[in-house]
Amino acid sequence: MKKKKGFWALNIGLLYILPWLVGFILFKVYPFLSSLFYSFTNYDLFNGITKYGLMNYEKIFTDPDIIRAFVVTFKYAIFDVPLKLMFALFIAYILNFKLKGVNFFRTAYYIPSILGGSIAIAILWRAVFNTDGLINTVLGVFGIPAINWMAGDMSALMVIVLLRVWQFGSAMVIFLAALKGVSEDLYEAASIDGAGKWTQFFKITVPLITPVIFYNLVTQLCQAFQEFNGPFLVTKGGPNGATTLISMLIYNNAFLRHKMGMASAQAWILFLITMTMTVIAFVSQKKWVYYSDEDGR
């Protein structure tokens, strides 16, 4: 008689993915669910839990400083995402032409995306925008007095926005791949009909790459709401909280004040906001994203 096979012999595929599955449960599922539980407590990193309830969420929606941090985060995303997408698409459009040494420029423009997230670059960015930094030095050549970029609410916010916009390389590479997928026959036919470059860009290029624009929009939107390094290292949340994003409040509550319960609640509100914005983007895509059919029409 044939020997009955064991469980693992019948489920060999499960055995192969077991290491990943264990890691996923321990480092993804458990922290995700435990943070939801802690958000309804006053969990302190050293004193534990002494109270349960909605007090964290009540404070989030009534505390002026927390509300302002959410407003600043929205303002940051509104400036950052469109600027980054437009700049990435503009550079990708230029690099799509058959220019001499174009491969070098493609690599050069992608480098900031590799280096931009590092602490060293953020510190260097702060030095560039100091009163005696590179930007003011260049302005001084033209007789423009030095500007204290970190002193004004809007100027400080734009400093960290430009840091993210400067890291446009990843979005640019994706746009470049999409542009190369647009058939040259369409441009030739449009040229014969008398359409100029701008007309071709807005009537042919943009509609055909809207799926990629949508993809970059969603990914950049999620990244913008989670931004931390820039405001933490460059402006330190100042002046007077003008660049304090919600991610900084989460960090401060969790690791400086040890209020893990409040940090978890803020993280969940941020998660819900990001998810809501993503859902809105997915719903709106039906009105502006062009998907060709199987015949490519």
Side-chain angles (χ1 to χ4, degrees), residues 140-216:
V141 174
F142 298 96
I144 302 174
I147 301 172
N148 189 350
W149 300 97
M150 307 299 176
D153 291 1
M154 185 54 66
S155 61
L157 182 64
M158 291 309 298
V159 167
I160 61 173
V161 166
L162 290 176
L163 175 59
R164 285 290 303 174
V165 173
W166 178 67
Q167 304 166 38
F168 65 89
S170 298
M172 181 207 70
V173 169
I174 296 174
F175 276 135
L176 185 59
L179 291 173
K180 290 191 171 298
V182 180
S183 175
E184 292 289 340
D185 295 339
L186 297 175
Y187 295 119
E188 293 176 3
S191 298
I192 294 174
D193 290 339
K197 291 295 183 181
W198 281 107
T199 303
Q200 293 178 27
F201 179 76
F202 287 106
K203 297 295 184 180
I204 298 176
T205 306
V206 172
L208 291 179
I209 67 170
T210 47
V212 176
I213 295 176
F214 170 70
Y215 171 80
N216 274 334

Side-chain angles (χ1 to χ4, degrees), residues 4-5 30 40 42 52 61 73 88 98 100 114 123 163 179 198 210 237 246 274 277 283:
K4 188 176 180 180
K5 293 184 177 180
Y30 173 73
F40 294 99
N42 67 339
Y52 299 87
F61 291 106
T73 303
K98 296 178 181 178
K100 187 176 181 180
I114 302 174
I123 295 174
L163 175 59
L179 291 173
W198 281 107
T210 47
I246 192 62
T274 306
M277 297 300 293
V283 172

Side-chain angles (χ1 to χ4, degrees), residues 37-260:
F37 169 74
Y38 291 140
S39 69
F40 294 99
T41 70
N42 67 339
Y43 176 42
D44 185 277
L45 193 61
F46 295 105
N47 299 321
I49 300 172
T50 58
K51 189 178 180 180
Y52 299 87
L54 297 172
M55 56 281 180
N56 293 327
Y57 292 99
E58 291 175 356
K59 185 175 181 179
I60 287 174
F61 291 106
T62 56
D63 191 307
D65 293 332
I66 298 177
I67 294 174
R68 186 187 184 189
F70 278 107
V71 172
V72 172
T73 303
F74 270 101
K75 189 185 299 184
Y76 171 83
I78 289 172
F79 281 111
D80 172 68
V81 176
L83 284 175
K84 190 172 183 179
L85 292 182
M86 288 189 293
F87 198 62
L89 180 56
F90 174 71
I91 298 298
Y93 184 72
I94 294 176
L95 296 181
N96 192 41
F97 292 107
K98 296 178 181 178
L99 304 174
K100 187 176 181 180
V102 69
N103 290 332
F104 167 78
F105 289 105
R106 290 173 183 171
T107 304
Y109 281 121
Y110 184 71
I111 289 177
S113 292
I114 302 174
L115 302 177
S118 68
I119 295 175
I121 293 298
I123 295 174
L124 178 62
W125 198 261
R126 179 180 176 86
V128 167
F129 282 92
N130 274 337
T131 52
D132 57 349
L134 177 63
I135 300 298
N136 282 326
T137 301
V138 174
L139 293 177
V141 174
F142 298 96
I144 302 174
I147 301 172
N148 189 350
W149 300 97
M150 307 299 176
D153 291 1
M154 185 54 66
S155 61
L157 182 64
M158 291 309 298
V159 167
I160 61 173
V161 166
L162 290 176
L163 175 59
R164 285 290 303 174
V165 173
W166 178 67
Q167 304 166 38
F168 65 89
S170 298
M172 181 207 70
V173 169
I174 296 174
F175 276 135
L176 185 59
L179 291 173
K180 290 191 171 298
V182 180
S183 175
E184 292 289 340
D185 295 339
L186 297 175
Y187 295 119
E188 293 176 3
S191 298
I192 294 174
D193 290 339
K197 291 295 183 181
W198 281 107
T199 303
Q200 293 178 27
F201 179 76
F202 287 106
K203 297 295 184 180
I204 298 176
T205 306
V206 172
L208 291 179
I209 67 170
T210 47
V212 176
I213 295 176
F214 170 70
Y215 171 80
N216 274 334
L217 172 65
V218 172
T219 55
Q220 296 303 323
L221 194 64
C222 293
Q223 290 181 14
F225 277 103
Q226 299 176 68
E227 175 61 19
F228 176 78
N229 281 358
F232 181 75
L233 295 170
V234 179
T235 62
K236 301 186 184 302
N240 301 318
T243 58
T244 300
L245 305 187
I246 192 62
S247 58
M248 290 188 64
L249 287 189
I250 295 173
Y251 171 85
N252 291 338
N253 280 310
F255 301 108
L256 298 183
R257 304 186 185 101
H258 313 300
K259 297 180 179 179
M260 289 296 180

